[in-house]
């Protein structure tokens, strides 16, 4: 037996690796949409002759549209499965890219942003959840971070697309930049057929034989596969002695969606409450850091820093994309070696320093409009690259990794969707107010404000986020249930709920 276990470990890690790559392909399309808009916006404004307010709305509204997709994805993934939900995301991405690429006016462009926004919500929710559920605990951080890695690859491709098509005629260039994003969606939809279904979703449907097959391929040993199956069965409310190929599961009643909301929002246990607080705080601070202001408006930021040539603007923006991609790959390697907390604390601390440097450089340049200040321009570029580097080493990939792994099975899809909703609302607010905020308190003052917010995030991470490295998904509750006594209290509370109202029970 021992001789069979060792090669099995290598094969299974590779299998989980391939599954994670396929699922995270949705993130490339999402990242492309984010990156390509930063440069396309320069030409959209010239061609359609829209105002700064209209441009802010165009850039940021996608995040609010994505709320529809993120909540729909939670329900869809529980209904048709995790992997086919990826197909739904691809369909929305494809339709949205075509609409934007063929748009003849501002209204049609906004319609395309709506469709693409729904796809963004689906992609943001399903890729990390699926990857977390098919990953062995020892490599879950590395594999789940692929979502953020591929977002950065997509952003870089968007920047490259800006640079490549910028020399086309004005009316054609930005349409090609946006429309070409439809092609990867077809590839993504076809790739799904090479992915297995999540073993946790299969158990939720009572398909134990199918779940065993997947677990045997992703677990490091047969013993680990058996233990994980037992843990998932317990979390899904299936009796321990139920051992057929397909077993009955607690029936979904008509009000079950409301009961999920009740367990998550209205009357959560202390453990779920702590998990929800950690999720909302992490998702909020990721976007409140101002990262979208840097990614979406980097050409505008560099213009303010004194770089005015279009080619130089786009080339410098490409440098931002390359930096983000390289650093997030490093973060993927470090997640399961260094741990979540050290990377988050180092990341947020470095971001504070970088934002202070960027704010200082922009303020100096702004106060000397008629004179070029080389050191201030260099400080702006260096601080921007440092900011995206520190963001990408921790807070960027960590948000998806951490929040996808801490929720109990019964509320995981909806809980992650709530976190994504918080993320998108914050992102949309930042994106749609940056130009107005810069006019009100100067562009340098905007980044000083972001520095203050990131300082608060460091305090939150230090006090509220325990280390999750190396834990199985079924063990996460122990980290957020302060002591054994708390666990006993929650067990007693669950028993009381079951006695008082059988309708309050979910699948878990």
């Amino acid at each position: 037996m021992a001789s069979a276990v060792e090669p099995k470990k290598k094969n299974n890690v590779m299998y989980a690796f391939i599954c994670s790559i396929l699922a995270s392909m949705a993130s490339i399309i999402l990242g492309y949409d984010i990156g390509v808009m930063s440069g396309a916006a320069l030409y959209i404004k010239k061609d359609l002759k829209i105002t700064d307010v209209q441009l802010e709305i165009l850039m940021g509204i996608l995040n609010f549209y994505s709320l529809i997709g993120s909540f729909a994805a939670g329900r869809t993934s529980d209904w048709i499965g995790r992997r086919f939900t990826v197909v739904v995301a691809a369909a929305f991405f494809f339709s949205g890219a075509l609409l934007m690429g063929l748009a003849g006016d501002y209204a049609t462009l906004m319609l395309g942003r709506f469709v693409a926004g729904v796809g963004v919500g689906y992609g943001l929710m399903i890729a990390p959840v699926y990857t977390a559920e098919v990953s062995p605990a020892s490599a879950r951080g590395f594999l789940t971070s692929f979502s953020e890695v591929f977002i950065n690859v997509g952003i870089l491709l968007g920047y490259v697309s800006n640079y490549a098509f910028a020399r086309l005629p004005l009316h054609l260039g930005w349409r090609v930049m946006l429309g070409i994003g439809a092609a990867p969606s077809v590839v993504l939809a076809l790739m799904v057929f090479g992915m297995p279904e999540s073993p946790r979703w299969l158990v939720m449907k009572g398909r134990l034989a199918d779940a065993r097959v997947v677990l045997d391929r992703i677990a490091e040993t047969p013993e680990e596969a058996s233990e994980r199956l037992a843990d998932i069965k317990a979390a899904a409310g299936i009796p321990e002695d139920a051992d057929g190929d397909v077993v009955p599961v607690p029936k979904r009643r008509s009000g079950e969606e409301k009961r999920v909301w009740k367990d998550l929002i209205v009357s959560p246990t202390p453990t779920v409450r702590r998990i929800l607080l950690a999720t909302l705080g992490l998702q909020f601070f990721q976007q409140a850091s101002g990262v979208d202001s840097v990614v979406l408006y980097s050409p505008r930021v560099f213009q303010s820093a004194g770089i005015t040539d279009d080619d130089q603007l786009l080339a410098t923006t490409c440098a931002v994309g390359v930096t983000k991609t390289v650093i997030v790959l490093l973060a993927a390697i470090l997640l399961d070696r260094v741990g979540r907390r050290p990377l988050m604390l180092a990341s947020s601390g470095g971001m504070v320093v970088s934002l202070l440097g960027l704010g200082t450089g922009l303020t100096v340049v702004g106060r000397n409009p008629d004179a070029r200040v080389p050191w201030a321009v260099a400080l702006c570029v260096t601080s921007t690259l440092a900011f995206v580097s520190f963001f990408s080493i921790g807070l960027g990939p960590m948000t998806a990794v951490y929040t996808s792994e801490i929720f109990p099975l019964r509320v995981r899809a909806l809980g992650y969707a709530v976190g994504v909703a918080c993320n998108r609302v914050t992102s949309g607010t930042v994106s749609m107010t940056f130009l107005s905020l810069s006019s009100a308190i100067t562009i340098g003052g905007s980044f000083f404000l972001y520095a203050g917010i990131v300082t608060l995030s460091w305090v939150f991470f230090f006090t509220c986020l325990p280390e999750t490295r190396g834990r199985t998904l079924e063990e996460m509750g122990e980290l957020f249930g302060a002591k054994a006594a708390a666990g006993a209290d929650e067990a007693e509370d669950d028993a009381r709920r079951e006695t008082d109202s059988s309708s309050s029970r979910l699948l878990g």
Side-chain angles (χ1 to χ4, degrees):
M1 288 293 291
S3 61
V5 172
E6 185 61 27
K8 184 178 181 64
K9 179 176 180 179
K10 292 183 179 180
N11 290 338
N12 287 8
V13 171
M14 180 56 67
Y15 183 72
F17 178 87
I18 293 171
C19 293
S20 302
I21 288 286
L22 295 178
S24 299
M25 284 295 293
S27 301
I28 284 187
I29 305 170
L30 164 60
Y32 181 85
D33 186 87
I34 294 171
V36 78
M37 280 302 296
S38 68
L42 297 173
Y43 306 103
I44 291 172
K45 185 177 180 180
K46 293 177 185 177
D47 188 28
L48 300 184
K49 297 178 174 59
I50 59 178
T51 65
D52 272 351
V53 173
Q54 288 176 307
L55 184 62
E56 280 184 321
I57 293 173
L58 179 68
M59 300 286 270
I61 197 67
L62 178 140
N63 296 293
F64 292 100
Y65 293 153
S66 69
L67 295 177
I68 300 171
S70 64
F71 284 113
R75 187 167 184 174
T76 303
S77 65
D78 283 344
W79 176 38
I80 65 174
R82 310 316 197 208
R83 68 175 189 148
F84 284 114
T85 301
V86 177
V87 177
V88 176
F92 277 108
F93 280 131
F94 178 82
S95 302
L98 280 185
L99 281 171
M100 289 188 290
L102 298 174
D105 52 31
Y106 184 74
T108 307
L109 191 57
M110 287 291 288
L111 176 61
R113 294 294 277 172
F114 169 75
V115 177
V118 175
V120 166
Y122 267 93
L124 280 172
M125 181 271 169
I126 195 58
V129 168
Y130 173 86
T131 304
E133 292 186 347
V134 299
S135 302
S138 60
R140 190 178 57 249
F142 172 66
L143 297 178
T144 308
S145 68
F146 282 4
S147 177
E148 182 67 20
V149 171
F150 279 47
I151 285 177
N152 282 277
V153 171
I155 290 173
L156 176 57
L157 291 175
Y159 289 160
V160 171
S161 176
N162 290 153
Y163 192 81
F165 300 117
R167 292 167 182 77
L168 291 176
L170 179 62
H171 71 283
L172 182 62
W174 65 266
R175 290 181 170 88
V176 174
M177 295 175 191
L178 299 179
I180 202 172
S185 304
V186 178
V187 178
L188 173 64
L190 295 176
M191 283 183 170
V192 167
F193 295 99
M195 297 162 51
E197 185 51 82
S198 159
R200 289 171 174 83
W201 182 83
L202 292 170
V203 172
M204 287 173 62
K205 297 299 181 181
R207 294 164 55 182
L208 299 188
D210 292 336
R212 284 192 198 95
V213 171
V214 179
L215 285 171
D216 282 340
R217 298 198 68 178
I218 64 175
E220 296 184 351
T221 65
E223 292 76 15
E224 181 189 342
S226 298
E227 290 174 4
R228 290 180 66 178
L229 180 60
D231 289 341
I232 298 170
K233 284 169 61 178
I238 296 176
E240 184 179 355
D241 57 356
D243 199 31
D245 288 348
V246 179
V247 300
V249 294
K251 290 184 178 180
R252 291 180 176 269
R253 301 182 180 91
S254 58
E256 186 170 338
E257 187 73 20
K258 294 180 180 178
R259 290 194 296 274
V260 175
W261 277 100
K262 183 178 180 181
D263 264 22
L264 185 65
I265 303 292
V266 180
S267 57
T269 64
T271 295
V272 172
R273 188 180 300 116
R274 293 186 193 101
I275 290 173
L276 185 62
L277 173 64
T279 296
L280 294 178
L282 187 50
Q283 296 278 8
F284 168 79
F285 282 120
Q286 186 200 48
Q287 295 301 327
S289 67
V291 64
D292 274 3
S293 296
V294 174
V295 173
L296 287 174
Y297 296 105
S298 53
R300 182 71 68 103
V301 172
F302 292 133
Q303 278 180 333
S304 300
I307 303 172
T308 55
D309 180 75
D310 278 359
D311 284 345
Q312 290 182 348
L313 283 174
L314 294 177
T316 309
T317 300
C318 284
V320 172
V322 171
T323 302
K324 280 175 61 64
T325 303
V326 171
I327 298 299
V328 80
L329 286 170
L330 176 62
I333 296 172
L334 294 177
L335 277 172
D336 289 314
R337 299 184 181 186
V338 176
R340 279 61 159 161
R341 272 175 60 87
L343 287 179
M344 277 192 286
L345 295 175
S347 171
S348 52
M351 289 166 63
V352 171
V353 176
S354 303
L355 287 167
L356 290 174
L358 181 56
T360 300
L362 290 169
T363 300
V364 170
V365 172
R367 290 180 178 177
N368 297 273
D370 299 324
R372 186 175 178 84
V373 187
W375 70 265
V377 175
L379 178 61
C380 290
V381 174
T382 302
S383 296
T384 300
L385 295 177
F387 172 78
V388 298
S389 296
F390 281 112
F391 177 84
S392 298
I393 198 68
L395 190 54
M398 197 68 63
T399 302
V401 172
Y402 200 91
T403 57
S404 66
E405 66 186 2
I406 58 178
F407 279 104
L409 175 63
R410 67 182 182 276
V411 295
R412 182 171 299 140
L414 183 59
Y416 190 80
V418 170
V420 169
C422 176
N423 184 286
R424 294 298 89 197
V425 168
T426 308
S427 177
T429 302
V430 170
S431 302
M432 293 176 68
T433 59
F434 177 69
L435 296 180
S436 300
L437 183 66
S438 299
S439 298
I441 64 174
T442 74
I443 191 169
S446 300
F447 288 104
F448 285 131
L449 175 61
Y450 295 144
I453 294 172
V454 178
T455 301
L456 293 177
S457 77
W458 191 97
V459 176
F460 176 82
F461 300 154
F462 184 80
T463 56
C464 298
L465 302 185
E467 181 59 65
T468 60
R469 179 170 61 119
R471 300 276 189 150
T472 68
L473 297 184
E474 286 68 39
E475 292 173 342
M476 292 299 172
E478 299 174 11
L479 298 177
F480 291 88
K483 296 179 181 178
D489 290 341
E490 290 173 23
E492 181 180 346
D493 183 52
D494 287 342
R496 176 183 55 77
R497 288 185 188 181
E498 183 174 356
T499 302
D500 292 344
S501 174
S502 59
S503 65
S504 70
R505 292 201 57 187
L506 303 171
L507 281 176

